[in-house]
Amino acid sequence: DSGVTQTPKHLITATGQRVTLRCSPRSGDLSVYWYQQSLDQGLQFLIQYYNGEERAKGNILERFSAQQFPDLHSELNLSSLELGDSALYFCASSEGTANEQFFGPGTRLTVL
Amino acid sequence: GEDVEQSLFLSVREGDSSVINCTYTDSSSTYLYWYKQEPGAGLQLLTYIFSNMDMKQDQRLTVLLNKKDKHLSLRIADTQTGDSAIYFCAESSGSARQLTFGSGTQLTVLP
Protein backbone atom coordinates (compact mmCIF):
# COMPACT_ATOMS: atom_id res chain seq x y z
CA ASP A 1 0.00 0.00 0.00
CA SER A 2 1.61 3.25 -1.17
CA GLY A 3 -0.51 5.49 1.05
CA VAL A 4 -2.03 7.25 -1.97
CA THR A 5 -5.76 6.71 -2.38
CA GLN A 6 -7.91 7.20 -5.44
CA THR A 7 -11.67 7.07 -5.89
CA PRO A 8 -13.58 5.69 -7.57
CA LYS A 9 -11.81 2.48 -8.56
CA HIS A 10 -13.97 2.05 -11.65
CA LEU A 11 -16.11 4.50 -13.60
CA ILE A 12 -18.33 3.73 -16.57
CA THR A 13 -19.95 6.62 -18.38
CA ALA A 14 -21.18 7.73 -21.79
CA THR A 15 -19.66 9.96 -24.44
CA GLY A 16 -20.23 13.64 -23.85
CA GLN A 17 -20.41 13.26 -20.07
CA ARG A 18 -18.22 14.80 -17.38
CA VAL A 19 -16.53 12.94 -14.52
CA THR A 20 -14.37 13.82 -11.54
CA LEU A 21 -11.57 11.61 -10.26
CA ARG A 22 -10.28 12.12 -6.76
CA CYS A 23 -6.86 11.58 -5.23
CA SER A 24 -5.58 11.83 -1.66
CA PRO A 25 -1.79 12.00 -1.42
CA ARG A 26 0.39 10.37 1.21
CA SER A 27 0.45 12.20 4.51
CA GLY A 28 2.93 15.05 4.28
CA ASP A 29 3.32 14.99 0.49
CA LEU A 30 2.80 18.36 -1.15
CA SER A 31 3.08 17.33 -4.80
CA VAL A 32 0.40 15.53 -6.76
CA TYR A 33 0.90 14.25 -10.29
CA TRP A 34 -1.72 12.85 -12.67
CA TYR A 35 -0.88 10.27 -15.32
CA GLN A 36 -2.94 8.51 -17.96
CA GLN A 37 -2.26 4.92 -18.99
CA SER A 38 -3.81 3.77 -22.25
CA LEU A 39 -3.05 0.91 -24.60
CA ASP A 40 -2.02 3.13 -27.49
CA GLN A 41 -0.21 5.94 -25.64
CA GLY A 42 1.28 4.09 -22.69
CA LEU A 43 1.85 6.04 -19.47
CA GLN A 44 1.75 9.80 -20.00
CA PHE A 45 2.14 12.70 -17.62
CA LEU A 46 -0.86 15.00 -17.53
CA ILE A 47 -0.38 17.67 -14.87
CA GLN A 48 1.32 18.41 -11.55
CA TYR A 49 0.31 20.47 -8.53
CA TYR A 50 2.49 21.54 -5.65
CA ASN A 51 0.90 22.86 -2.48
CA GLY A 52 -2.21 24.00 -4.29
CA GLU A 53 -0.56 25.55 -7.33
CA GLU A 54 -0.26 24.16 -10.83
CA ARG A 55 3.43 23.61 -11.60
CA ALA A 56 3.64 21.73 -14.88
CA LYS A 57 1.47 20.50 -17.70
CA GLY A 58 2.09 17.57 -19.96
CA ASN A 59 -0.10 16.07 -22.64
CA ILE A 60 -3.33 17.19 -21.04
CA LEU A 61 -6.29 17.94 -23.28
CA GLU A 62 -8.15 21.23 -22.94
CA ARG A 63 -11.26 19.23 -21.98
CA PHE A 64 -9.39 18.07 -18.88
CA SER A 65 -8.63 20.17 -15.82
CA ALA A 66 -7.40 19.59 -12.31
CA GLN A 67 -7.04 21.33 -9.00
CA GLN A 68 -5.44 20.75 -5.62
CA PHE A 69 -7.33 21.82 -2.53
CA PRO A 70 -6.03 23.30 0.76
CA ASP A 71 -6.12 19.85 2.37
CA LEU A 72 -3.85 18.75 -0.51
CA HIS A 73 -6.26 16.29 -2.11
CA SER A 74 -6.61 16.69 -5.85
CA GLU A 75 -9.34 16.23 -8.41
CA LEU A 76 -9.05 15.59 -12.13
CA ASN A 77 -12.06 16.71 -14.14
CA LEU A 78 -12.69 15.18 -17.54
CA SER A 79 -15.43 16.69 -19.69
CA SER A 80 -17.04 16.11 -23.10
CA LEU A 81 -15.78 12.56 -22.82
CA GLU A 82 -14.84 10.62 -25.94
CA LEU A 83 -14.31 6.91 -26.46
CA GLY A 84 -10.57 7.51 -26.63
CA ASP A 85 -10.53 8.85 -23.08
CA SER A 86 -11.06 5.32 -21.77
CA ALA A 87 -7.92 4.60 -19.78
CA LEU A 88 -6.44 4.09 -16.35
CA TYR A 89 -5.83 7.37 -14.56
CA PHE A 90 -3.16 7.36 -11.89
CA CYS A 91 -2.37 9.87 -9.25
CA ALA A 92 1.08 9.96 -7.68
CA SER A 93 2.38 12.00 -4.79
CA SER A 94 5.79 13.04 -3.62
CA GLU A 95 7.23 15.09 -0.81
CA GLY A 96 8.52 17.77 -3.17
CA THR A 97 9.35 17.88 -6.84
CA ALA A 98 12.68 16.08 -6.73
CA ASN A 99 11.64 13.05 -4.77
CA GLU A 100 10.37 9.63 -5.65
CA GLN A 101 6.71 9.43 -6.64
CA PHE A 102 4.33 6.96 -5.08
CA PHE A 103 1.34 5.87 -7.13
CA GLY A 104 -2.24 5.24 -6.16
CA PRO A 105 -4.18 2.19 -7.38
CA GLY A 106 -5.70 4.12 -10.27
CA THR A 107 -9.21 4.82 -11.56
CA ARG A 108 -10.28 2.80 -14.58
CA LEU A 109 -12.49 4.97 -16.79
CA THR A 110 -14.61 3.35 -19.47
CA VAL A 111 -16.43 5.61 -21.90
CA LEU A 112 -19.21 3.88 -23.84
CA GLY B 1 12.17 15.43 -26.44
CA GLU B 2 12.52 12.81 -23.79
CA ASP B 3 12.23 9.19 -24.85
CA VAL B 4 12.59 6.00 -22.87
CA GLU B 5 12.80 2.65 -24.61
CA GLN B 6 12.47 -0.89 -23.34
CA SER B 7 12.08 -4.29 -24.93
CA LEU B 8 8.53 -5.53 -24.68
CA PHE B 9 8.92 -9.11 -23.45
CA LEU B 10 11.26 -11.25 -21.36
CA SER B 11 10.84 -14.87 -20.27
CA VAL B 12 13.03 -16.57 -17.70
CA ARG B 13 12.99 -19.82 -15.72
CA GLU B 14 12.22 -19.71 -12.02
CA GLY B 15 15.44 -19.38 -10.05
CA ASP B 16 17.36 -17.72 -12.90
CA SER B 17 18.34 -14.06 -13.00
CA SER B 18 16.32 -11.59 -15.07
CA VAL B 19 17.85 -8.55 -16.70
CA ILE B 20 15.55 -5.83 -17.99
CA ASN B 21 17.15 -3.11 -20.08
CA CYS B 22 16.20 0.48 -20.76
CA THR B 23 17.65 3.39 -22.69
CA TYR B 24 16.81 7.03 -22.08
CA THR B 25 17.63 10.28 -23.82
CA ASP B 26 17.47 13.12 -21.30
CA SER B 27 20.96 13.68 -19.93
CA SER B 28 19.59 16.10 -17.36
CA SER B 29 17.60 13.36 -15.61
CA THR B 30 18.40 13.39 -11.91
CA TYR B 31 16.71 10.15 -10.93
CA LEU B 32 15.92 6.99 -12.87
CA TYR B 33 13.27 4.65 -11.59
CA TRP B 34 11.99 1.12 -11.88
CA TYR B 35 8.31 0.47 -11.25
CA LYS B 36 6.43 -2.84 -11.20
CA GLN B 37 2.83 -3.23 -12.32
CA GLU B 38 0.90 -6.42 -11.63
CA PRO B 39 -2.36 -7.16 -13.49
CA GLY B 40 -5.13 -4.82 -12.40
CA ALA B 41 -2.88 -3.01 -9.96
CA GLY B 42 -1.14 0.32 -9.68
CA LEU B 43 2.54 1.08 -10.07
CA GLN B 44 4.80 -0.08 -7.27
CA LEU B 45 8.09 1.77 -6.87
CA LEU B 46 10.80 -0.89 -6.78
CA THR B 47 13.97 1.14 -6.69
CA TYR B 48 15.62 4.21 -8.10
CA ILE B 49 19.12 5.44 -8.76
CA PHE B 50 20.53 8.91 -8.65
CA SER B 51 22.22 9.95 -11.86
CA ASN B 52 25.66 10.30 -10.28
CA MET B 53 25.68 6.64 -9.20
CA ASP B 54 26.76 3.64 -11.25
CA MET B 55 25.12 0.88 -9.28
CA LYS B 56 22.60 0.34 -6.55
CA GLN B 57 21.75 -2.95 -4.86
CA ASP B 58 18.62 -3.59 -2.85
CA GLN B 59 18.14 -7.22 -1.77
CA ARG B 60 17.46 -9.20 -4.97
CA LEU B 61 17.47 -6.09 -7.15
CA THR B 62 20.55 -4.56 -8.76
CA VAL B 63 20.36 -1.41 -10.85
CA LEU B 64 23.21 -0.56 -13.20
CA LEU B 65 23.54 2.85 -14.83
CA ASN B 66 25.81 3.65 -17.78
CA LYS B 67 25.55 7.40 -18.14
CA LYS B 68 27.72 7.56 -21.24
CA ASP B 69 25.41 5.24 -23.16
CA LYS B 70 22.28 6.40 -21.29
CA HIS B 71 21.55 2.76 -20.47
CA LEU B 72 19.83 1.50 -17.35
CA SER B 73 19.27 -2.10 -16.34
CA LEU B 74 17.43 -3.93 -13.60
CA ARG B 75 18.68 -7.33 -12.53
CA ILE B 76 16.41 -9.54 -10.44
CA ALA B 77 18.28 -12.40 -8.79
CA ASP B 78 16.61 -15.76 -8.12
CA THR B 79 13.50 -14.78 -10.08
CA GLN B 80 10.24 -16.15 -8.66
CA THR B 81 6.80 -16.62 -10.17
CA GLY B 82 5.62 -13.68 -8.07
CA ASP B 83 7.99 -11.48 -10.05
CA SER B 84 5.86 -11.94 -13.18
CA ALA B 85 4.61 -8.45 -14.01
CA ILE B 86 5.25 -5.47 -16.26
CA TYR B 87 8.35 -3.48 -15.35
CA PHE B 88 8.57 0.17 -16.27
CA CYS B 89 11.70 2.23 -16.49
CA ALA B 90 11.18 5.97 -15.98
CA GLU B 91 13.30 9.09 -16.00
CA SER B 92 12.45 12.26 -14.13
CA SER B 93 12.88 15.44 -16.07
CA GLY B 94 11.28 18.79 -16.73
CA SER B 95 10.50 21.57 -14.32
CA ALA B 96 8.23 19.38 -12.24
CA ARG B 97 10.48 16.32 -12.45
CA GLN B 98 7.57 14.52 -14.00
CA LEU B 99 8.18 10.94 -15.04
CA THR B 100 8.63 9.83 -18.62
CA PHE B 101 7.99 6.12 -18.85
CA GLY B 102 9.12 3.43 -21.19
CA SER B 103 6.56 1.12 -22.76
CA GLY B 104 7.15 -1.52 -20.11
CA THR B 105 8.69 -4.99 -20.24
CA GLN B 106 6.39 -7.94 -19.62
CA LEU B 107 8.38 -10.41 -17.51
CA THR B 108 7.11 -13.98 -17.55
CA VAL B 109 8.62 -16.45 -15.10
CA LEU B 110 8.31 -20.04 -16.20
CA PRO B 111 8.26 -22.89 -13.65
Side-chain angles (χ1 to χ4, degrees):
Chain A
D1 185 355
S2 67
V4 179
T5 60
Q6 289 186 249
T7 56
K9 193 169 172 64
H10 300 280
L11 201 46
I12 301 174
T13 189
T15 54
Q17 295 299 305
R18 173 189 167 94
V19 297
T20 297
L21 314 183
R22 184 189 167 103
C23 167
S24 292
R26 293 187 320 156
S27 177
D29 284 358
L30 299 177
S31 271
V32 169
Y33 299 78
W34 286 97
Y35 293 86
Q36 179 195 59
Q37 185 178 32
S38 62
L39 282 174
D40 55 344
Q41 300 285 342
L43 268 160
Q44 288 197 98
F45 167 69
L46 295 178
I47 196 164
Q48 185 233 0
Y49 279 80
Y50 177 81
N51 203 21
E53 291 190 10
E54 181 188 304
R55 283 293 180 93
K57 272 187 172 180
N59 297 321
I60 188 166
L61 300 170
E62 285 192 13
R63 300 183 286 108
F64 296 0
S65 65
Q67 52 186 330
Q68 187 179 27
F69 294 87
D71 66 353
L72 300 176
H73 91 272
S74 178
E75 292 181 357
L76 179 67
N77 302 295
L78 315 176
S79 61
S80 302
L81 285 167
E82 301 175 1
L83 296 177
D85 297 328
S86 296
L88 258 174
Y89 291 84
F90 286 110
C91 162
S93 75
S94 69
E95 195 177 314
T97 54
N99 309 90
E100 57 267 35
Q101 296 177 28
F102 294 90
F103 281 72
T107 292
R108 181 171 293 281
L109 173 67
T110 303
V111 182
L112 301 175
Chain B
E2 305 92 6
D3 196 18
V4 179
E5 294 192 357
Q6 300 177 240
S7 52
L8 292 180
F9 302 100
L10 176 66
S11 291
V12 299
R13 293 267 174 211
E14 191 173 12
D16 289 349
S17 291
S18 309
V19 179
I20 303 171
N21 295 299
C22 168
T23 57
Y24 62 97
T25 57
D26 190 345
S27 57
S28 69
S29 295
T30 51
Y31 287 96
L32 294 142
Y33 299 86
W34 285 101
Y35 284 86
K36 176 183 179 183
Q37 186 177 31
E38 295 180 85
L43 293 159
Q44 176 193 353
L45 177 62
L46 286 178
T47 187
Y48 62 93
I49 188 166
F50 190 54
S51 58
N52 69 353
M53 297 169 65
D54 297 321
M55 186 184 90
K56 181 178 180 182
Q57 186 152 3
D58 185 359
Q59 299 183 340
R60 291 191 299 124
L61 305 178
T62 304
V63 179
L64 294 177
L65 175 60
N66 180 327
K67 289 181 285 294
K68 175 174 165 291
D69 294 337
K70 296 193 180 70
H71 182 267
L72 183 73
S73 67
L74 174 70
R75 179 177 179 269
I76 306 173
D78 187 25
T79 314
Q80 302 298 308
T81 54
D83 295 324
S84 291
I86 301 176
Y87 290 80
F88 290 94
C89 164
E91 62 175 354
S92 68
S93 58
S95 58
R97 295 299 172 194
Q98 61 267 29
L99 298 178
T100 300
F101 286 89
S103 54
T105 299
Q106 172 78 59
L107 174 65
T108 302
V109 183
L110 305 170

